Amino acid sequence: MFSNLRKYLSLSRVSLLLSLQYKMNTFFLLGVVIVPPVAYFFLWNSIYHQKEIIGNYKLSEMITYYIIVYLFFETKPHAWWDIGHSIKDGRFSLYITKPMNHFLFYFFYSYSFTILWWIFAIFGAFFLFIIFKNYFVLPKILPFFLSFFFSFLGGILGFTIEYIFNLFAFWIEKPFGLLRFYDLLIYFLSGSIIPLDLLPFKNFFLFLPFKYLSFFPVSIFLGKAQNINLFNEFLNLILWICFFIIISQIVFYFGRKTYSAPGSL
Amino acid sequence: MSVIVKNLHKIYRRPIKEKGLKGSIKEFFKRKYEKVHALKGISFEVTRGEILGFVGPNGAGKTTCMKILSGVLHKTDGYVSVLGFDPFKREKEFLKKISFVMGLEGFLEEVVWDISARDGFLFIKDLYEINDKEFKKNFNEMIEILDVKDILDVPVRKLSKGQKMRLELIASLIYNPICLFLDEPTLGLDIISQKNIRDFIKYYVEKNNAICILTSHYMKDVEELANRLIIINKGEIIYEGSPDGAIEKFSGKKIIKFTLKNDKDKERIKNENFEVMTDEGIYKVLVNKEDVLEFSKNLLNKFEISDLTIEEPELEEVLRDVFKPS
């Protein structure tokens, strides 16, 4: 068990070393961290012009919503498109001849990129807090930790669903369109574009598991989940994760049967 | 503890594309597929300590077979057992005992691309759960033999193909696998690198009493390494036995090698009605066994020859003849 975990942690180390290898790229992350939240601030400031509240969000809550989602909850481990592409070009063969779980390999490989991002995001959040002090809602200690805990679990869920979409490359000639569609769909259904409780048919969107990727953790952060039974939500989220992990393993098994290992790889 | 293959079949389908815009539009609505019977019931066995050379033209089914044996591809029918495991199940113990080296791209390069090989090897150590003592011992021995000490701290992508291949070999063998699948391990390498790799493979198999199945388009690899040879063509085994036996079976010919004394003869020989190959001033002609005496006599009569030998043809020449389009 420990040696199993050790191999994946070792992989995360490799992935982190790779990220640090690209100095300029890493440096520009600082810009990527700061510029969009500033844009969100100006956008929502003008939308709220002469309005006190939209839905049940005050301006400060709305700006905090977008900054927190953008900096911390939206950026989680990504299965990337590389899984799908590796299946198409045959590099997948390199991975399945190694004593490791393909799902965990990509999960840990991408987690270190996320950690690097979060380091920059903390600096970004600190900087943004200084300039938008009056527009920033600070949470209490418990909601703060709970929101990040749910976000972490939401990250596992999001990764699993994205992984499944990538595995469809076993059957689809070119997975590019599907993966692009997935990206946009998740962006919308997770509440990254607009808070889900502002949408029509909101009960439908809140029933779907995608709310755990962004909307639900940020609601806890903003103190808007006081009437929700968090333990039930926790169980619900765990069930969704188990469900999608099982689906991913089934898809992986049948996908491998159809895999043609193209090229001489 | 061996590799057993019985009546192995692999059928897969591949899309057929009609040419032009019209073809693409038709294909957009209804794609056509064809079935390819890549392996047609092949059977063989490889035991510990053996190096099996797997040769044949492109598309013969060599790599498909290796991919089934290493668990990459699913077989359509037949029985496959590698060290007592069903490869497709990908059991951890099985994966720790095999190594699949692909000449075109390696795992080390794929994963650590932009960082040093040394960091990559530390990951390989954890991946295969190698203890410190064993890792240190194997690592020191391999970097010495393959002479890679100076390149361990250079980002992998900055290395030459030969250097990368040597590092890939270390990454593929440092955990002491019992069964090696080597698919074109010397592809694209210069002669010196090819020789280094061959020597190392031979050394490793002997030292570990390992099983090795090797495919290569360079017959030198097969000639120097393989104890046994399987020739495969269009998914069927057409020969199994020793490399010398293959020459005996497929070549009803001998090779006559000679050198010409003067430049005038070098011009004249071009007009003769036999196919002649030249290699650094040595002329080679493939002649039917029964015609060897007559042909040599004529040659000596017509030209001023300084040296003449009659030899068995090399494996490469024999196979070129076997797979020549009719």
Side-chain angles (χ1 to χ4, degrees), chain A residues 205-226:
Chain A
F205 293 109
L206 293 176
F207 167 76
L208 297 175
F210 308 104
K211 67 173 179 185
Y212 294 112
L213 306 188
S214 296
F215 175 76
F216 192 73
V218 80
S219 296
I220 299 174
F221 188 94
L222 292 172
K224 289 182 180 292
Q226 282 160 352

Side-chain angles (χ1 to χ4, degrees), chain A residues 10 22 91 95-96 256 264, chain B residues 71 90 104 110 114 119 126:
Chain A
S10 179
Y22 312 112
R91 281 179 296 117
Y95 296 93
I96 51 168
R256 269 190 67 213
S264 48
Chain B
R90 289 189 74 234
L104 282 180
E110 170 81 6
D114 250 337
D119 281 313
D126 291 330

Side-chain angles (χ1 to χ4, degrees), chain B residues 98-101 124 167-175 177 180:
Chain B
I98 66 149
S99 181
F100 191 7
V101 179
I124 298 285
L167 293 172
E168 287 295 346
L169 260 188
I170 296 176
S172 306
L173 302 176
I174 198 162
Y175 54 95
L180 318 182

Side-chain angles (χ1 to χ4, degrees), chain B residues 141-194:
Chain B
E141 185 191 10
M142 288 179 179
I143 60 166
E144 197 67 47
I145 297 174
L146 284 168
D147 190 24
V148 291
K149 237 179 195 168
D150 298 340
I151 54 171
L152 286 173
D153 296 311
V154 181
V156 176
R157 77 183 162 96
K158 304 260 184 195
L159 300 171
S160 72
K161 187 145 179 47
Q163 289 170 324
K164 279 183 205 165
M165 192 61 217
R166 279 183 279 159
L167 293 172
E168 287 295 346
L169 260 188
I170 296 176
S172 306
L173 302 176
I174 198 162
Y175 54 95
N176 284 337
I178 300 170
C179 192
L180 318 182
F181 301 106
L182 308 178
D183 191 17
E184 306 281 357
T186 57
L187 189 71
L189 304 186
D190 61 58
I191 300 167
I192 298 162
S193 299
Q194 284 181 26

